[in-house]
Amino acid sequence: MDMFEGVGRRLDQKSGTVVNIGQNSLNGYERKVLFRNNGDGTFTDVAFVNGADRPEDGRGLSIFDYDRDGQLDLLIRNFRQPAVLLHNQGRSGHWLQLKLVGVRSNRDAVGARVRIRTAAGLQSRSVTAGSAYLSGSSLVQHFGLGPATRVTTVDIDWPSGARTHLQDVPADHRYTMAEGEESLISAPSR
């Protein structure tokens, strides 16, 4: 038996068209999953509850805060179908967003590493320019802070080797930080 029997789509050699040949798939039409971090090393699939368990043939995913409300939203790019925006309307704690601007480093600060500390612990993000096949996410670094209303420290290691250290940063803002500067610029909320 062929390992791929009843799976995916195949090109019909006679007609030259792509034909679905089964319910199982290696390339789409599977219900999507969305995992919630339970905070104890386990995760729960909450896609059905949040309307994210969509059946389209998804090919790409972008994660970003499209309405600048501090909640990350998802944009799913589907094969031969319109893209779908999953707008996060939940409210679950405080947040901090940092947009880094390189001066000596590359303008988008790709390769920079950001570490923040709150009473709950340490978080780290690296600025990347791509995430997966047909995907790309925001260059703005997002940190979920839970109940914390302030960030104790922010440390940025820039690709040029420069370092920035900030203390006592208020939560629930999107800030811009230019390499070599000593303070954050708060971006207006939506």
Side-chain angles (χ1 to χ4, degrees), residues 3 44 54 56 65 73 87 95 102 117 126 148 166 177 183:
M3 180 174 105
T44 302
R54 305 178 64 88
E56 295 97 356
D65 183 4
D73 307 295
H87 179 211
W95 52 274
R117 183 173 298 280
S126 294
L166 304 164
M177 179 76 221
S183 61

Side-chain angles (χ1 to χ4, degrees), residues 55-105:
E56 295 97 356
D57 188 359
R59 297 300 173 97
L61 174 69
S62 293
I63 303 168
F64 66 112
D65 183 4
Y66 97 95
D67 56 357
R68 299 182 89 171
D69 66 353
Q71 307 298 314
L72 293 177
D73 307 295
L74 306 176
L75 181 71
I76 302 170
R77 177 65 182 106
N78 299 304
F79 181 69
R80 294 187 179 171
Q81 298 170 343
V84 175
L85 176 67
L86 299 179
H87 179 211
N88 184 350
Q89 297 178 349
R91 279 288 185 222
S92 60
H94 299 282
W95 52 274
L96 176 76
Q97 293 179 349
L98 296 171
K99 169 67 175 133
L100 303 182
V101 179
V103 175
R104 285 188 15 223
S105 300

